[in-house]
Amino acid sequence: MKQLAKILKFEFKNYLQNKIFVGVTVFLVVVIAVAMFIPRAINVFENDVPSIPEPPITDGEQGEGDGDGDVSDLKKDFPKMLIKYGSAEAAEAVRETFSAYFGAYNVILTDDSLDGIKEKIVSGEAECAFVMDGLTSYTYYVNNLSMYDMNTSVANEALRNFYQMSAMMEGGLTAEQASAILAGQIITSQTESLGKDQMQNFFYTYIMIFALYMVILLYGQMVATNVATEKSSRAMELLITSANPVSMMFGKVLASCLAGLTQLIAVFGSAIIFYKLNERYMDDGGIMSSIFNMPVELVVYMLIFFVLGFLIYAFMFGAIGSTASKLEDINTSCMPVILLFVAGFMVVMIGMSTGEVDTAMMKVCSYVPFTSPMAMFTRIAMSTVPIYEIVISVALLIGSVIGVGVLAAKIYRVGVLMYGTPPKLGAILKGIFKG
């Protein structure tokens, strides 16, 4: 442990004394400060302090009863959409209207209580529900609100048309009344997500994934380059005789991880401080508030997957750096690891852009240690993931980090003594088993 602590302290000190490291950190903090103070500067020049908008008022509609509507044989396998309407006389007509507008759903009338409806949605028995107070007011319930969910827009159009037809069918209207009906009735609605709101969580999920992408590629290659530089200068031959290879590898990787976290804390910490100083001058567009008001639970998950994801790749980059004979070989040697990481990154980005974060591919990637830091965090942020899946993913990732770290240390011990042409995999494995 003493060796590990000394190596960690020495390597971390080198990062803090690196002018490029310090310069980039200061530059990013200054850029964020300028961006955060722009609204305040604009307000000073315009002498118009923006008012803080009032939060939206929600009513929390209630309903009760139990029952199911008629199910069309053609739609019995479609996702279920529940409709709860107070008037039994008009309920079937409303269901038929919704069924015509929502062709991809099996629209069913229900008399369940509000808690019963929510339970069906959360359990997956139904995909969504409309609890209606009348033709012009309803509450839309859905588990994970997708970025592309247009159900409320379709429902508004359906109810508007139904309202107009019902009113005109009553007959006996004056020209002014008919004109008012045809002009359209304003529909008021609410949306209550019982799971995760993808649109709200999209921005900080994207920032975390992109930050992990940049840090792994930047600091991972820095670890590989530092190891290769020590090897080419023959300094590593002296170090390897006085220090344990495991301590050296873990010390270098942990130092790079600590440096990366220090830089991110400095950048994002300053961003939070500047945001709080200028919050009253910001337009409440939702993006800023969603980023800077991230739930504590997600912050914890972000740190866990960020650190573990960085470590597993940093160990791989360190092992590759020890096998390179020249600095010029680093980029070529690191290419397989980079491609593996980029492949996982692309899968996650596609899932985020489409809103489909619970596909079979994303679920598989959630358990593969090389992709789980991005895939599982994305699913946690944008979907509802059972706790046992998270525990399994984290456990596999921790075990893989330790395993890859120990293997990287053994490769490091063998690779530092191999010069000339880059060693082949067979030679490295032979050296590992001999040791």
Side-chain angles (χ1 to χ4, degrees):
M1 287 299 294
K2 289 184 178 180
Q3 286 185 350
L4 175 61
K6 288 182 179 179
I7 295 171
L8 175 60
K9 182 179 178 180
F10 175 79
E11 294 289 343
F12 182 60
K13 185 178 179 181
N14 285 341
Y15 278 106
L16 297 182
Q17 293 176 344
N18 188 298
K19 294 181 179 179
I20 296 178
F21 176 86
V22 176
V24 170
T25 305
V26 172
F27 172 77
L28 291 175
V29 171
V30 171
V31 170
I32 290 174
V34 172
M36 291 295 178
F37 277 93
I38 285 178
R40 179 188 286 264
I42 293 175
N43 178 261
V44 170
F45 284 112
E46 294 181 352
N47 195 25
D48 180 22
V49 180
S51 60
I52 301 176
E54 304 226 348
I57 300 175
T58 58
D59 295 330
E61 308 296 336
Q62 301 291 323
E64 37 182 276
D66 187 16
D68 292 323
D70 295 331
V71 179
S72 171
D73 291 336
L74 297 176
K75 293 187 175 183
K76 63 181 180 180
D77 295 327
F78 287 10
K80 292 182 180 179
M81 174 185 288
L82 303 180
I83 302 293
K84 182 178 177 63
Y85 193 80
S87 171
E89 298 177 358
E92 180 59 27
V94 171
R95 188 200 69 80
E96 291 179 358
T97 300
F98 270 66
S99 183
Y101 275 82
F102 292 96
Y105 285 92
N106 179 12
V107 182
I108 300 174
L109 289 177
T110 180
D111 291 326
D112 286 343
S113 66
L114 184 59
D115 290 338
I117 292 173
K118 291 181 178 181
E119 183 178 349
K120 285 185 176 181
I121 295 174
V122 173
S123 66
E125 184 178 345
E127 184 166 314
C128 58
F130 287 89
V131 177
M132 307 179 66
D133 301 314
L135 293 179
T136 61
S137 180
Y138 65 83
T139 299
Y140 174 59
Y141 292 93
V142 65
N143 190 19
N144 297 307
L145 183 61
S146 171
M147 294 184 295
Y148 306 101
D149 193 323
M150 301 296 293
N151 286 349
T152 54
S153 298
V154 177
N156 290 347
E157 182 65 23
L159 290 174
R160 185 179 295 111
N161 290 339
F162 185 82
Y163 173 84
Q164 293 174 351
M165 288 189 296
S166 298
M168 287 186 290
M169 287 173 62
E170 293 177 0
L173 300 177
T174 65
E176 290 78 9
Q177 290 172 326
S179 177
I181 293 172
L182 292 174
Q185 176 71 19
I186 297 176
I187 307 297
T188 61
S189 66
Q190 306 171 53
T191 297
E192 181 177 337
S193 177
L194 303 180
K196 302 293 177 63
D197 187 336
Q198 289 189 350
M199 181 58 73
Q200 180 182 1
N201 296 2
F202 176 83
F203 299 103
Y204 50 72
T205 305
Y206 179 84
I207 289 175
M208 184 274 177
I209 299 300
F210 190 74
L212 181 61
Y213 177 84
M214 295 299 297
V215 169
I216 283 181
L217 292 186
L218 176 63
Y219 284 92
Q221 289 198 315
M222 285 179 65
V223 171
T225 301
N226 290 341
V227 173
T229 300
E230 291 178 356
K231 179 179 178 179
S232 61
S233 65
R234 300 297 177 107
M236 196 179 290
E237 294 181 7
L238 298 176
L239 294 173
I240 203 72
T241 58
S242 58
N244 188 302
V246 175
S247 298
M248 292 188 65
M249 176 59 69
F250 274 77
K252 289 178 179 293
V253 170
L254 290 176
S256 65
C257 180
L258 190 59
L261 278 177
T262 301
Q263 190 173 55
L264 289 178
I265 290 173
V267 172
F268 287 105
S270 62
I272 293 173
I273 293 173
F274 296 143
Y275 172 76
K276 293 299 182 182
L277 291 175
N278 299 280
E279 186 174 6
R280 65 190 296 257
Y281 299 96
M282 300 281 184
D283 291 331
D284 188 16
I287 298 178
M288 285 293 186
S289 61
S290 69
I291 293 175
F292 290 100
N293 294 298
M294 186 188 304
V296 176
E297 175 189 9
L298 279 180
V299 174
V300 174
Y301 282 128
M302 181 182 70
L303 291 175
I304 291 174
F305 285 107
F306 187 92
V307 171
L308 294 177
F310 175 84
L311 289 177
I312 194 169
Y313 277 96
F315 280 126
M316 295 170 67
F317 277 111
I320 290 173
S322 67
T323 63
S325 300
K326 299 179 294 184
L327 287 177
E328 293 81 3
D329 297 333
I330 289 295
N331 291 334
T332 303
S333 301
C334 291
M335 191 56 64
V337 178
I338 294 175
L339 291 177
L340 174 64
F341 179 68
V342 171
F345 176 79
M346 293 302 296
V347 170
V348 172
M349 285 293 104
I350 292 173
M352 289 180 60
S353 62
T354 59
E356 299 293 333
V357 296
D358 281 326
T359 61
M361 179 63 74
M362 283 289 289
K363 289 183 178 179
V364 170
C365 289
S366 298
Y367 299 105
V368 178
F370 303 112
T371 56
S372 61
M374 295 179 291
M376 181 55 82
F377 178 79
T378 300
R379 290 183 60 209
I380 292 173
M382 300 182 67
S383 180
T384 303
V385 183
I387 188 64
Y388 74 88
E389 291 190 19
I390 301 176
V391 171
I392 293 174
S393 178
V394 172
L396 289 174
L397 189 53
I398 292 175
S400 299
V401 168
I402 297 173
V404 171
V406 173
L407 180 61
K410 293 183 178 180
I411 295 175
Y412 177 87
R413 182 191 61 198
V414 174
V416 295
L417 302 177
M418 293 183 176
Y419 293 92
T421 58
K424 296 181 179 179
L425 179 61
I428 295 175
L429 294 176
K430 185 177 180 181
I432 291 175
F433 289 118
K434 276 188 176 181

